[in-house]
């Protein structure tokens, strides 16, 4: 009887399903697996950012893992991400895989992508210096205060009769984050000051102390006598903003740089200032459907952008996500005919005023401190 019970228990053990495999993912740029958790140990494998490792055993602060090549060793928990964190980035990637690009940028130094805007959010993918990025959306959030630092206050005007002026909280310092996609398709949030918008030096020198938010090629002009090696000179549409985080609009100026074949240099062919504009910019080649001249019916570069209407309420970033959603906007369309930029006004377009941004405090060293790239 005891033999039968023993056989039955053994059979049940063989039928019990194995627990599902557990995985972690390397967050460090590069690190090593070791044969033991000790001051002196041997390296058993080299792993890098994004590598998938199967967990074999949990220690106090280390885990024993196995690589996809079968190499085994111990690794510090501080340099790996859990499956849950990895899934957050995969979800972000799938949700935004078809999002249109609003601008291009270049990473200044080695940085991490975050799962959400904010310095304290989970991070995973590590980008190298010079990595090309596609910008998808912007968010703006209060900049966290250093430990032990209290929020600043501002004095109000005197209340009269000798009463002291009460302290009121000063507006918090803000910082901008961008949802970006790298060259491998990995997606995440990156602090804006850690990257530069991809714009050529030939037009950044004319930025007049503003930050170029986006630069787009409308067309090219052939100039056989140009100094450049490539004689097909790009004509650029640019959008610019002040050097300030936390703005409730993406840009306050649109500018087209045309090329003078006679003077062999860029010139301003169009400028729209003092606006509250929002990305993306739509660019296409098409005839003016409402033009009657031969020039108007000939296909030409056409661009459209949105500005805030003066009938819209105040734009307030979402306090949790930092997302900026404008109210009522006005769509403005122009086409480039030679070196002239002409507006396209569709019949029935309602007339409306545009909102104007509040004057920004100018930084004296804005142009001096900015390196040309």
């Amino acid at each position: 009887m005891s033999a039968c019970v023993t056989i039955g228990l053994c059979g049940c053990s063989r039928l019990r399903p194995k627990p599902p495999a557990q995985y972690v993912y390397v967050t460090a740029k590069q690190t090593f697996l070791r044969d033991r958790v000790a001051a002196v140990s041997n390296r058993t494998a080299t792993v890098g950012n994004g590598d998938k490792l199967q967990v074999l055993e949990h220690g106090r602060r280390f885990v024993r893992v196995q690589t996809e090549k079968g190499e085994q060793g111990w690794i510090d928990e501080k340099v790996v991400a859990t499956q849950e964190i990895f899934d957050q980035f995969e979800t972000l990637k799938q949700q935004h895989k078809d999002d249109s690009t609003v601008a291009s940028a270049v990473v200044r130094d080695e940085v991490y992508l975050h799962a959400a805007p904010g310095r304290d959010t989970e991070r995973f993918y590590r980008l190298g210096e010079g990595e090309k990025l596609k910008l998808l959306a912007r968010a703006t959030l209060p900049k966290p205060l250093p430990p032990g630092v209290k929020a600043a206050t501002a004095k109000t005007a005197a209340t009269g009769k000798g009463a002291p002026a009460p302290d009121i909280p000063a507006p918090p310092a803000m910082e901008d984050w961008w949802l970006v996609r790298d060259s491998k398709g990995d997606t995440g949030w990156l602090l804006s000051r850690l990257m530069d918008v991809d714009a050529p030096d030939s037009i950044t020198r004319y930025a007049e102390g503003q930050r170029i938010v986006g630069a787009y090629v409308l067309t090219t002009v052939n100039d056989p006598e140009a100094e450049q090696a490539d004689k097909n000179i790009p004509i650029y549409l640019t959008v610019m903003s002040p050097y300030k985080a936390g703005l409730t609009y993406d840009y306050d100026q649109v500018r087209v740089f045309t090329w003078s074949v006679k003077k062999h240099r860029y010139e301003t062919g169009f400028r729209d200032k003092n606006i509250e504009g929002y990305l993306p910019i739509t660019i296409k080649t098409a005839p003016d459907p409402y033009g009657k001249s031969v020039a108007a019916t000939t296909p030409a570069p056409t661009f459209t952008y949105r500005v805030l209407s003066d009938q819209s309420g105040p734009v307030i970033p979402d306090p949790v996500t930092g997302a900026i959603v404008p109210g009522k906007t006005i769509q403005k369309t122009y086409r480039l005919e030679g070196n002239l930029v002409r507006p396209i006004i569709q019949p029935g377009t309602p007339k409306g005023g545009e909102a104007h941004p509040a004057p920004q405090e100018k930084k004296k060293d804005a142009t001096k401190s900015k390196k040309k790239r």
Side-chain angles (χ1 to χ4, degrees):
M1 181 68 178
S2 59
C4 294
V5 173
T6 303
I7 294 172
L9 292 175
C10 293
C12 292
S13 176
R14 287 194 298 268
L15 294 175
R16 186 180 299 119
K18 293 183 178 180
Q22 183 182 356
Y23 296 94
V24 292
Y25 301 82
V26 180
T27 60
K29 179 181 179 181
Q30 187 181 77
T31 189
F32 305 97
L33 303 186
R34 302 179 183 277
D35 61 351
R36 63 176 66 88
V37 180
V40 179
S41 59
N42 299 314
R43 298 176 179 178
T44 59
T46 301
V47 291
N49 183 247
D51 286 353
K52 182 179 181 179
L53 307 174
Q54 183 177 355
V55 177
L56 304 177
E57 181 182 353
H58 283 277
R60 185 175 181 181
R61 293 188 301 106
F62 293 79
V63 288
R64 189 166 68 89
V65 297
Q66 177 174 293
T67 69
E68 293 182 340
K69 297 179 181 179
E71 303 160 315
Q72 297 185 5
W74 291 88
I75 189 171
D76 195 328
E77 287 182 338
K78 294 181 179 179
V79 296
V80 294
T82 63
Q83 183 69 50
E84 181 181 0
I85 294 174
F86 177 81
D87 290 343
Q88 289 181 31
F89 281 88
E90 281 299 296
T91 299
L92 203 61
K93 180 178 180 179
Q94 293 302 317
Q95 288 177 340
H96 300 280
K97 64 179 181 179
D98 297 324
D99 288 8
S100 59
T101 301
V102 300
S104 301
V106 181
V107 174
R108 290 184 183 176
D109 204 347
E110 293 186 347
V111 293
Y112 279 100
L113 291 182
H114 288 245
R119 302 192 183 198
D120 296 332
T121 58
E122 300 292 352
R123 62 183 194 174
F124 179 36
Y125 291 113
R126 187 182 178 96
L127 306 182
E129 180 181 358
E131 173 72 22
K132 298 283 188 178
L133 302 175
K134 300 298 184 183
L135 307 187
L136 307 178
R138 181 174 68 96
T140 184
L141 291 169
K143 183 178 180 180
L145 295 174
V149 176
K150 295 183 179 180
T153 58
K155 292 282 187 180
T156 62
T159 57
K161 297 182 180 181
D167 290 343
I168 59 173
M174 305 293 286
E175 58 185 16
D176 290 340
W177 291 78
W178 276 96
L179 180 63
V180 304
R181 183 189 303 126
D182 69 5
S183 58
K184 296 183 293 184
D186 295 327
T187 305
W189 290 89
L190 182 63
L191 190 60
S192 64
R193 65 178 181 82
L194 301 179
M195 61 185 178
D196 293 307
V197 170
D198 198 4
D201 289 341
S202 56
I203 61 173
T204 55
R205 68 184 67 175
Y206 300 113
E208 299 176 348
Q210 283 205 307
R211 171 174 51 198
I212 294 182
V213 177
Y216 316 92
V217 176
L218 292 176
T219 185
T220 59
V221 173
N222 185 266
D223 184 358
E225 299 181 14
E227 295 180 357
Q228 294 90 323
D230 188 352
K231 307 304 180 182
N232 293 316
I233 312 299
I235 305 301
Y236 287 99
L237 164 68
T238 62
V239 291
M240 306 178 186
S241 76
Y243 276 94
K244 182 178 180 179
L247 297 174
T248 57
Y249 51 87
D250 293 324
Y251 53 89
D252 67 353
Q253 180 179 168
V254 177
R255 193 172 175 184
V256 174
F257 290 96
T258 56
W259 182 261
S260 173
V261 178
K262 292 183 179 180
K263 299 179 180 179
H264 315 296
R265 70 183 186 190
Y266 278 111
E267 296 179 343
T268 299
F270 170 81
R271 186 187 297 219
D272 190 5
K273 298 194 301 181
N274 197 28
I275 58 176
E276 296 188 37
Y278 296 91
L279 295 168
I281 307 294
T282 302
I283 299 174
K284 61 182 180 180
T285 300
D288 180 356
Y290 305 101
K292 297 181 180 180
S293 65
V294 174
T297 56
T298 302
T302 304
F303 58 93
T304 301
Y305 56 95
R306 295 181 303 141
V307 300
L308 191 67
S309 167
D310 60 4
Q311 299 178 19
S312 171
V315 180
I316 302 175
D318 186 285
V320 177
T321 65
I324 301 170
V325 181
K328 184 177 181 179
T329 58
I330 299 172
Q331 184 169 288
K332 306 177 74 172
T333 302
Y334 296 84
R335 57 187 262 114
L336 178 67
E337 298 175 4
N339 274 3
L340 298 177
V341 178
R342 301 185 184 279
I344 297 179
I345 303 176
Q346 300 182 8
T349 300
K351 294 183 179 180
E354 300 175 15
H356 302 291
Q360 297 294 325
E361 183 179 344
K362 295 182 178 180
K363 294 183 178 180
K364 295 181 180 180
D365 59 345
T367 55
K368 294 181 181 180
S369 61
K370 186 175 187 298
K371 294 181 180 179
K372 291 185 177 179
R373 287 178 171 81

